[in-house]
Amino acid sequence: MYREPLLVHHASVDALVYNNEKMNAFPIKSLWDLTTDAWKGRVIFSDPQKMSEFVEVLATIVQHSDEMAADYKRVFGKDITLSSGVENAGFEWILRLLNNDLIILGSTNSVSEAVGLSDQANPPVGLTAYSRLRDKEKNPNLKFDVITKLEPVMGVATEVVVAMVKGGAHPNAAKLLIHWMMGDTKGGEGYKPYFVLGNFSVRTDVPPPKGSASLSELKLWKADADYVWNEGQKVLDFWVAHLK
Amino acid sequence: MTNTAVCMEQRETTLRFSRIKNYVRQPHIVISLVLLVILLIIVILPFARMIEDSFVWQFADTRLSRNAEPGGLTLFHWKRVFASALTQNILYRPLINSVSTSLSVSLVAMFIGSFLAWLVSRTDLPFKKIIATMAVLPYVIPSYIHALAWLNLFKNSRIGGAAGVFQYLTGITPPDWLSYGYFPIVVTLSIHYFPFTFLLVSAALTSIDSRLEESGEILGATRFHILRRITFPLVLPALLSSFILTFSRVLGTFGTPYFLGTPVRYYTLSTQIYSNIINRIPSVGYILAFVLIIISSAVIYINQRMIGRSKSFVTIAGKGFRVTETPLEKLRYPLLCLIGLLFVASVILPLVLLVWQTLTLYPNDYSIKHLTLLFWIGKANTAFAEGEAGILRNPAIIGAAWNSIKLALVSSVIAGFIGIFIGYAVVKGRNTKLASAVEQMSFLPYLVPSIAFGALYLALFSHRFGPLPALYGTFTLVALVCIAKNLPFTGRAGITSMLQIGSELEEASETLGARWVTRFRRIILPLSIQGAISGFILVFITVMRELSLIILLVTPETRTLTTMTFRYQEQGYTQFSSAISVLIIIIVIFGESLSRRFGKKNGI
């Protein structure tokens, strides 16, 4: 596992964060809550036009449209009615989100700051990288945490892979570098930069960082590389076409 | 056939042959031909290649369409831009935004610039000399720095989390329209570009004899009538040129609309070109660049027609000349205060905000107890900004600074020299088709907005093309694009300075048997180099603060200070981006003062 077709270096999770100073419980229970009036203009996304990992997130949600539809029924007690020209509940979720005055920012960093430094009484929630939690150690003004309990999932896991370029001059040096980057049982110098909250080593012998849940405890969808390659652009086009 | 006929024919052939030989032996012809080849490669070819690419399936297109066969011909990209579900959002809306910001900026900048020019050249306003010098400063500061300063000031909590200085000091949340989008883009770019109009209109105004206006007054015309019928027609050409200069610059500007527009989904063609190219749909970016070039060319064409049609008047005659100052009376000091305010808003405030931002420990926490020099001289520390060292001890930034300086030096010297050759070829060959071809072709890069010009070069040099190597990722490519884009200016400067050198100087030495290389080295170069030096420095400054032109072409190894600012700002490390901006301004002002010193020495 995690070796084919390409070696996975670590898994990274994109999830929703909330301001844990202004709010003492998770403010939402379902992804569908974000499309309600209460969250109009209060949801911040990282721009998928700039960061392709968020195309993976959106495509994965579209891929699981059946589960999205089921959760809609659970939340609102009725079947979802799709807008005209919209294929499934995944696309419908994206459309409703965009029409709910979604705010789009250029980096995961600015999303977590927008949530964590908010001086509003009703702070926003934001979709960003789980690993932004590490910024809290650097800036004590940041007050945010990941919403770990959410239906149908709390986030999407994407795999970060390592590969060697064909025809490189020093393939064995590259292998050595990769071996070093994979770390060892004590963590290892090569894995150190990735040993942060929100990143998950694929090695069973590397324990997660302090305070981190293990990957199996979190309710996630895993991004499917084939699906993203084939459908990702269609999802991004849908996004661009409905930006207003 | 008789013998004589053969003889005649032979003689004619030799005659024709020697005529060609003589023609080619003229040095300015050779230079023109060489220049034409160079211009063909660096100006025409990229354009042709860009159009070609837009009709060909790219490898990355396999994600977009099942029918894609890389290398095959297709109309797919054109359909995607002009007739798809995306057309509204990637073409129409950005197009409207581009044109409306460019028009508004041009009008506002023209108003501020020409009013200031009138005050400085035609009234009894105090401190006129100082004001005239300071009026150029906003242009010296890179345009996107005004945008960063605006964000530092008016960023609101709705979008940015931490608010800007305005909210920090007053507690009032600025509304979105004030913080992002059309309004701030127009204000910051107008502040940046009004010096164009100021310079051109004040030059025109100082050459108008006040007696023209006074004679109107004697004939009983009202002040407004005089302004409309005498002064305005006389400065109209200057106004029209400043309009076009501003309009085409704003159209190709990338940094400001990117920083101020994207938070409220306000996209322009320049930001759409960028985002399509980084999303690996370059062909769509090329088509949008093509649209931008068409608009800019059309506006320049209409403008040239208008300049051509408006009557021209000789205002400098060999008679007495004087300028009467209009007394401002009660308005003298209020107007002075207004100018002071403009100066504070356009130069002092952005600089103070930038410097202050570099000293804050946490972004947008402006309290005194959290001020620090960490982002200037701090050691690399993983507790801050992903472990980057302060900019003065950060190897990546020092490397980028050297790249910037190297780029600016190399491109200004080469563009300057080509400019001298263009001047020589055009002036020597005046009224020939060859010379005017060289002149017109060297002017072409002026029609192409900066970001589109960068896209052209990306299209040509990302793959090997015939004898042309794939230059993407090299310093040569970045330098090449800067040289080509600045040729219209250095070429113009070359022509002007060459016109001032009488041809008898060269002819005299030719009679004495000097070869062309000697003549060029000993006569033409020394006489034209003085005029060219200020041209070099102008290009140096332009390249030092260039972002839109090179943003699509730089790679980590060729990064410059401006692109580093952009990356840091994009990642949200405002202290770093502000500190690098301050560094750029220091280098540019140093270059500017150097140019003034040279200018004085050479009596320019």
Side-chain angles (χ1 to χ4, degrees), chain B residues 271-518:
Chain B
T271 61
Q272 280 299 326
I273 291 171
Y274 176 79
S275 109
N276 274 289
I277 286 176
I278 63 161
N279 275 310
R280 301 204 297 152
I281 319 175
S283 306
V284 168
Y286 297 157
I287 295 170
L288 295 175
F290 181 71
V291 172
L292 212 54
I293 294 170
I294 297 289
I295 301 171
S296 155
S297 310
V299 173
I300 291 176
Y301 175 76
I302 296 169
N303 198 66
Q304 294 303 103
R305 287 280 301 266
M306 278 169 76
I307 292 182
R309 208 181 295 150
S310 72
K311 288 181 204 138
S312 61
F313 307 92
V314 175
T315 51
I316 305 178
K319 292 180 194 147
F321 181 87
R322 92 197 148 94
V323 172
T324 322
E325 293 182 342
T326 311
L328 293 170
E329 291 158 18
K330 267 188 216 154
L331 285 175
R332 237 177 129 200
Y333 289 97
L335 280 170
L336 188 67
C337 287
L338 207 65
I339 293 171
L341 261 167
L342 178 70
F343 181 66
V344 168
S346 61
V347 180
I348 311 250
L349 196 61
L351 289 183
V352 169
L353 282 172
L354 273 180
V355 174
W356 192 359
Q357 180 73 255
T358 68
L359 302 175
T360 56
L361 183 56
Y362 309 120
N364 305 84
D365 178 350
Y366 296 97
S367 48
I368 304 286
K369 67 177 186 339
H370 284 159
L371 292 189
T372 173
L373 277 174
L374 207 77
F375 294 97
W376 285 94
I377 51 172
K379 283 197 184 132
N381 176 349
T382 44
F384 293 97
E386 315 280 319
E388 297 252 19
I391 70 161
L392 295 182
R393 55 164 85 212
N394 189 325
I397 290 166
I398 292 168
W402 283 122
N403 272 346
S404 280
I405 293 173
K406 197 168 86 180
L407 181 68
L409 275 178
V410 167
S411 26
S412 59
V413 168
I414 296 181
F417 266 104
I418 299 182
I420 293 178
F421 282 110
I422 291 176
Y424 184 79
V426 169
V427 172
K428 284 284 155 176
R430 225 179 315 171
N431 301 330
T432 64
K433 280 205 183 100
L434 189 63
S436 62
V438 170
E439 189 179 0
Q440 280 164 8
M441 238 157 121
S442 70
F443 184 71
L444 281 181
Y446 182 76
L447 301 183
V448 185
S450 294
I451 184 118
F453 207 74
L456 289 180
Y457 271 62
L458 190 66
L460 180 59
F461 292 107
S462 54
H463 304 288
R464 202 190 142 89
F465 180 67
L468 297 177
L471 287 178
Y472 181 73
T474 63
F475 176 79
T476 314
L477 177 62
V478 186
L480 206 59
V481 77
C482 292
I483 293 167
K485 183 76 178 121
N486 283 297
L487 278 186
F489 308 104
T490 58
R492 202 103 294 272
I495 293 171
T496 320
S497 63
M498 214 54 76
L499 278 172
Q500 290 165 347
I501 305 172
S503 56
E504 65 274 12
L505 293 174
E506 205 191 339
E507 282 158 16
S509 68
E510 199 175 356
T511 321
L512 290 172
R515 292 165 59 86
W516 183 79
V517 178
T518 319

